[in-house]
Amino acid sequence: MKIYPYKRLARPVVLRVTSVSLRLSDGTREPLDTSAYSAQDQVVALGVRGHTDWESATIGLSATLPPGADAPDAAWSDLRVLAVATDGETNVRTSTALTRDTQDSHDWSGRLEVLRDDHLGRASLAAYAVGTVDGVRGRSIAETDRSWVVDTVSDEPVRGLRLDVRKASFGKSSREWLRAYADAPWLVDTTARVPTVFVNTDIDGIVGLLDSNGSGVDSKVRDLLVAQMATDVWTAVFHAALGDLEVEPGGGPVFPTDWQGEVLREMLPDVVPGVHVEEALRQVHHRRTGESGWGELQTRIHYAAVRRAEAARAVGYVIRGLERTNRESET
């Protein structure tokens, strides 16, 4: 939760993506259909199949300000609306000013140009209403409460956590750090640009089991194994995201703009239920860096990871399958 020393709007700005087009290497423009962005997940996917040679993308935007933005007694003047794309991996920030649709409208629209060379993976896209308050220009009086994700790699507008899964012989790997974990079936590396799961091919049968598409006992064990792996992944990436938090001068944590921010926003409602994610992050950060409360929170973190991994569904599927198998063997 942020505290501002001036009046602001109580409700957030609503941001929508209205169109997406790519500029190809030959200078031509390729409009993308609506499947390139998801209003529900608030994701734009620019890694379109057949268009690996794109150089920039133009994203059409529409923002709606909450009531009171143009109130005669408003504490601000020189109202403007900005769309800002931020990439935490490349440290690139791109902004554009939106234009009011009509003189009395609460809707503002415009376009944002995204250069492919400025981004490695995902960027965060938000809208801000800014104005002059108490003689200070450019103060934010409202913003989006949930940023859009601009994914320059994926061809599907999916907001969930992206993982890189690799198979490796831990005992013989060229990655020397893996050799110390030769008896582990898998490990999660959260230091990479995209979280990476290494599956240990030295464990007999694990690769075949994970790659199997059959039915029967193998499929039940596979689903249970995947659920356990997913639980480990969600737990690891959550702790990694908390460990890399930036802190404001006042001591409050700042939401990351890359996959770490996505992980926190996904899991925090289950870790600290009933509060806004900004307040949940503040509470978790306080417990992690304070003198008490961090140990007690581990149960909630594990619960959040189990839910994301859909472990209960996998366990239920295994139990029902075994019961059916036992009944069949008795007849």
Side-chain angles (χ1 to χ4, degrees), residues 150-270:
V150 179
D151 193 326
T152 60
V153 178
S154 177
D155 58 0
E156 293 185 14
V158 178
R159 196 176 186 93
L161 178 65
R162 285 193 304 125
L163 295 173
D164 186 8
V165 180
R166 301 185 183 184
K167 303 168 186 175
S169 168
F170 285 16
K172 303 175 183 178
S173 176
S174 59
R175 301 177 178 86
E176 294 186 5
W177 65 271
L178 277 178
R179 298 176 189 172
Y181 309 102
D183 58 345
W186 58 76
L187 284 176
V188 184
D189 179 14
T190 60
T191 64
R193 181 176 63 85
V194 174
T196 303
V197 181
F198 289 95
V199 178
N200 190 358
T201 58
D202 296 335
I203 305 297
D204 289 339
I206 189 171
V207 173
L209 183 61
L210 291 174
D211 290 343
S212 65
N213 294 317
S215 57
V217 176
D218 285 353
S219 69
K220 299 175 182 62
V221 176
R222 180 195 63 222
D223 289 350
L224 199 59
L225 192 66
V226 169
Q228 179 59 57
M229 185 185 298
T231 300
D232 292 348
V233 169
W234 279 106
T235 303
V237 295
F238 183 80
H239 282 282
L242 283 179
D244 290 338
L245 285 178
E246 293 184 7
V247 180
E248 295 178 326
V254 179
F255 259 106
T257 57
D258 53 9
W259 65 263
Q260 296 172 330
E262 289 298 311
V263 167
L264 293 175
R265 292 183 185 278
E266 179 74 18
M267 292 183 66
L268 280 172
D270 282 328

